[in-house]
Amino acid sequence: MEEGTGGRKCQLLDLPWEDVIVTHIFCYLPLRHLVSLQRVSKQFCALIQVYLANCRTFDFTQRLCTAGSSIPREAFCRMLRDNKVLQNLALQDCSEWLTDKELLPVIGQNQHLLRIDMRGCVSLSRHSLVAVSLSCAHLRHLGLAHCEWVDSLSLRSLADHCRGLQSIDLTACRQLKDEAICYLAKKCPELKSLSVAVNANITDASVEEVAKNCRDLEQLDLTGCLRVRNESIRTVAEYCPKLQSLRVNHCHNVTESSLGVLRKRNVEIDVEPPLQRALVLLQDVVGFAPFINLQI
């Protein structure tokens, strides 16, 4: 509070709301502080609503409540009620209660979304993914890890309408099979990051289709895909020159004969070479690995 002209004290609310407070002050405050400010007065409450209506990013991992508690359903609905300009939406902290009823209105009125993270939102249904595909044609990044409600039809809808998709996390989406992943790869050739980890339905067919259609692929997570074999990894090595990271832990049919080519290109692989693993094991067990002559 400062002394203004004529001896009048200038207060925060005297500043231009949208041009100064919303744009240059509130953007630096975490959501929990903004929620607290709403309780100060009716004017502050109105000001916070103006800010929330103009937010481009909502990250609900910034907890609004005490440590360990999730965001209340009512707070979620109230905060996003008037927003039609969202570009980034992170929902994983709402996973305990979030359903289609709360999410569908938000998706329907925000057609400029570029990034949505729904990891672990187990109470949603395929209707939410279909709504995303129909409303968010410019979507680039989507997180669906551990959303077992994702099925082939909803993923096909996403692939048909969001062809500029660059990254998608389908970890533990166990309803999905090769057919759905192959369709996604053909429709979304701009994919740079893909995870189909922890899905025993995925075979070489999916991996090869991704490799041949998504030439800009940089990150591929196949952790726990037990049916993936060396043949498809060789295809990835051939068709994906920009690959930076490959995760194949627990892929027991993938061996060094296919991984070796990628190691020579300095691709980050989460499985150590056989000799390295043997040395680590020896060191842990008997403690003499550092003295082994590796040139023998």
Side-chain angles (χ1 to χ4, degrees), residues 53-276:
N54 289 278
C55 267
R56 298 293 198 276
T57 297
F58 267 94
D59 185 352
F60 288 99
T61 58
Q62 297 180 14
R63 295 187 182 276
L64 305 186
C65 308
T66 56
S69 61
S70 62
I71 297 162
R73 188 191 313 257
E74 297 75 16
F76 173 88
C77 297
R78 184 173 63 251
M79 293 173 72
L80 294 178
R81 180 183 57 207
D82 302 320
N83 194 304
K84 298 179 182 179
V85 295
L86 275 179
Q87 294 182 354
N88 303 292
L89 183 60
L91 298 165
Q92 57 266 44
D93 201 46
C94 310
S95 59
E96 294 181 4
W97 52 263
L98 186 66
T99 67
D100 295 342
K101 180 180 179 181
E102 292 81 30
L103 184 59
L104 289 178
V106 176
I107 297 299
Q109 68 188 25
N110 284 280
Q111 299 180 2
H112 303 289
L113 278 162
L114 301 175
R115 181 186 298 269
I116 306 176
D117 192 343
M118 295 190 278
R119 282 179 292 170
C121 293
V122 296
S123 297
L124 295 176
S125 77
R126 61 186 302 272
H127 299 297
S128 285
L129 185 53
V130 172
V132 167
S133 68
L134 296 177
S135 297
C136 309
H138 304 293
L139 192 68
R140 294 293 179 266
H141 309 279
L142 181 60
L144 293 167
H146 302 284
C147 294
E148 297 199 32
W149 43 266
V150 176
D151 61 8
S152 176
L153 288 177
S154 57
L155 190 68
R156 288 172 70 96
S157 177
L158 181 76
D160 283 334
H161 296 93
C162 302
R163 300 197 178 191
L165 202 63
Q166 294 180 2
S167 70
I168 184 168
D169 186 350
L170 298 169
T171 300
C173 294
R174 296 186 180 91
Q175 287 196 58
L176 299 178
K177 298 181 180 179
D178 282 335
E179 180 187 3
I181 303 303
C182 291
Y183 191 85
L184 176 71
K186 291 175 181 177
K187 295 288 186 176
C188 301
E190 296 181 29
L191 274 177
K192 296 181 179 180
S193 177
L194 171 66
S195 173
V196 288
V198 199
N199 187 344
N201 295 319
I202 301 302
T203 73
D204 285 344
S206 289
V207 180
E208 291 184 356
E209 202 68 40
V210 168
K212 292 176 180 179
N213 288 278
C214 307
R215 303 293 184 89
D216 293 328
L217 195 68
E218 297 175 0
Q219 299 177 331
L220 179 60
D221 190 347
L222 303 171
T223 303
C225 294
L226 304 177
R227 299 169 67 187
V228 170
R229 300 175 181 274
N230 284 324
E231 288 74 11
S232 61
I233 302 301
R234 293 190 185 99
T235 304
V236 170
E238 179 181 355
Y239 285 91
C240 301
K242 298 181 181 179
L243 192 69
Q244 299 174 8
S245 172
L246 176 65
R247 305 182 68 84
V248 288
N249 199 19
H250 303 299
C251 295
H252 305 302
N253 294 311
V254 174
T255 67
E256 196 61 22
S257 66
S258 62
L259 297 176
V261 178
L262 293 169
R263 290 194 201 279
K264 291 177 182 178
R265 284 168 32 190
N266 295 318
V267 174
E268 180 183 335
I269 300 174
D270 64 337
V271 175
E272 297 289 348
L275 181 57
Q276 183 93 16

Side-chain angles (χ1 to χ4, degrees), residues 1 9 27 52 63 74 88 91 113 164 254 280 284 286 293:
M1 187 180 298
K9 291 184 176 180
C27 59
L52 295 175
R63 295 187 182 276
E74 297 75 16
N88 303 292
L91 298 165
L113 278 162
V254 174
V280 171
D284 289 343
V286 296
N293 186 351

Side-chain angles (χ1 to χ4, degrees), residues 11-30 33-34 37 44 47-48 51:
Q11 301 183 6
L12 176 64
L13 292 175
D14 292 330
L15 296 172
W17 284 16
E18 294 191 28
D19 293 337
V20 177
I21 300 178
V22 168
T23 307
H24 299 289
I25 298 177
F26 281 0
C27 59
Y28 294 104
L29 296 178
H33 292 169
L34 295 173
L37 273 176
F44 266 107
L47 174 57
I48 299 302
Y51 170 76

